Amino acid sequence: MGWNSWNHFAERIDDKTVRAQADAMVESGLKDAGYVYINIDDTWEGQRDLKGWIQPNQKFPNMKALADYVHGKGLKLGIYSSPGAKTCAGYEGSLGHEAQDAETYAEWGIDYLKYDWCQPAGSLEDLKAAYAKMRDALNKTGRPIVLTLCEYGWHKVWEWGAAVGGNQWRTTGDISDQYRAMAEIGFNQNGLEKFAGPGHWNDPDMLEVGNGGMTEDEYRTHFSLWAILAAPLIAGNDLTTMTPYTEAMLADREIIAVDQDPLGKQGFRVAQQGPFEVWMKPMADGSKVVGLFNRQRTSEQMTVRFSEIGIAQAAEIRDLWVKKTLGTFADAFSAYVPAHGVVLVRIQAK
Ligand code: GLA
């Protein structure tokens, strides 16, 4: 769990802004809710010196001091690079300097690296070799650094991402702050559940919650779906200007508990009728979290039958967004689901 600069700030990111986001993460209570990483995405990179050591550009005068500042708040700092000569935004990549860059990150105090392909697809072997090379370089530094593979899901990265050192891997192209784009990515994750687990996660991309392009119900769908998917929760909004609605959503303990459940199971679809999808995530305590997702533009009543989620008896139901235990139900549960919205419940067999 953490925050990343790209979705909101893109290239308008600098030292001052990163510090302000770290401050806001603590002050807003998001740190207490479990968010840890403050991740700088693309456009921090400057030139290499004569010996090939990467320098930050003028937006980041002192990366080590920035890491110290972030660590001083009890948070961790993430950075970004690419295995090619250039990053996606055209800045200096790590090609030919992998060991030097890993050493530099370790020496600055970096805790997380997003390693973004940013080149024509290439062969499976090319991809694997490039990521394994950076994994080896990071391991050699002796500093634990989370490694995120970003190659948009090419060559079924979920099948080999963990073997080349990935702690998580993007399964898709870039998200954007619109319901259609978010839903297309999120609902397409079905089937990838067997590749995720503690230490190696599918990553359907960073959150857009709070960036303004979706309705409240649509953002609730986004956050609920990412929680059911056990996806990395990397906020992508400006933490210094959150509305109370955004802040409450990102900090919601019950939804975060779904995402971060220790069993580490990624949820999946158990039933679908056109735009109505029922998803389920098995939880460590034996309960099942169920999302009734309505992808159409008008509200509709939806039902989950307990037989669809492996429960053969009566069960108690709690509505996780409404924060209300609804009572015991015999063999099914129905609810009105708003347009583009979700009803998220936790179901415990009695
Ligand atoms: C790619 C990635 C994005 C972001 C940009 C930065 O598009 O998929 O998440 O990192 O590059 O240039």
Side-chain angles (χ1 to χ4, degrees), residues 7-213:
N7 283 356
H8 186 83
F9 293 97
E11 72 284 354
R12 302 177 312 279
I13 188 67
D14 56 18
D15 178 282
K16 195 168 151 245
T17 307
V18 172
R19 287 174 193 243
Q21 298 301 314
D23 295 347
M25 185 171 276
V26 175
E27 282 154 23
S28 63
L30 287 186
K31 176 180 176 245
D32 288 341
Y35 294 81
V36 177
Y37 291 92
I38 295 282
N39 293 344
I40 306 166
D41 207 279
D42 202 355
T43 81
W44 65 267
E45 308 87 342
Q47 300 303 312
R48 294 184 182 278
D49 70 12
L50 290 174
K51 295 202 164 118
W53 299 95
I54 187 81
Q55 311 296 315
N57 58 39
Q58 69 287 354
K59 297 191 295 173
F60 290 90
N62 187 336
M63 210 50 108
K64 190 161 170 33
L66 179 56
D68 288 346
Y69 183 84
V70 169
H71 292 152
K73 306 230 141 209
L75 300 170
K76 297 182 181 208
L77 188 64
I79 209 160
Y80 169 101
S81 190
S82 300
K86 294 283 177 218
T87 67
C88 292
Y91 288 70
E92 187 71 19
S94 291
L95 183 65
H97 297 276
E98 294 83 359
Q100 278 182 312
D101 286 359
E103 272 179 57
T104 301
Y105 304 152
E107 123 91 22
W108 284 342
I110 297 294
D111 305 291
Y112 179 118
L113 173 66
K114 172 172 167 183
Y115 207 39
D116 192 0
W117 187 250
C118 301
Q119 314 161 60
S123 71
L124 170 60
E125 292 318 313
D126 289 347
L127 282 151
K128 282 187 178 171
Y131 283 109
K133 191 170 211 175
M134 184 49 92
R135 170 204 56 201
D136 292 344
L138 292 172
N139 285 348
K140 216 164 149 224
T141 69
R143 183 175 177 86
I145 298 178
V146 170
L147 177 59
T148 286
L149 317 187
C150 181
E151 46 81 284
Y152 335 112
W154 288 339
H155 293 294
K156 300 188 178 167
V157 62
W158 40 88
E159 290 180 352
W160 49 269
V164 297
N167 298 112
Q168 59 188 65
W169 44 81
R170 279 269 298 276
T171 55
T172 77
D174 289 13
I175 198 169
S176 65
D177 188 19
Q178 299 159 10
Y179 177 77
R180 261 183 71 170
M182 179 281 294
E184 164 120 2
I185 288 180
F187 291 110
N188 271 339
Q189 300 302 299
N190 191 50
L192 300 186
E193 58 275 3
K194 61 174 176 293
F195 303 103
H200 54 95
W201 306 101
N202 290 312
D203 173 11
D205 207 355
M206 306 170 293
L207 297 168
E208 292 283 7
V209 172
N211 278 333

Side-chain angles (χ1 to χ4, degrees), residues 259-289:
D259 182 78
Q260 299 283 312
D261 183 67
L263 192 59
K265 288 272 189 213
Q266 176 173 327
F268 47 91
R269 184 161 55 222
V270 294
Q272 176 174 19
Q273 278 185 330
F276 310 115
E277 301 199 15
V278 181
W279 285 63
M280 190 267 280
K281 181 182 200 282
M283 301 286 282
D285 67 357
S287 67
K288 323 264 179 168
V289 169

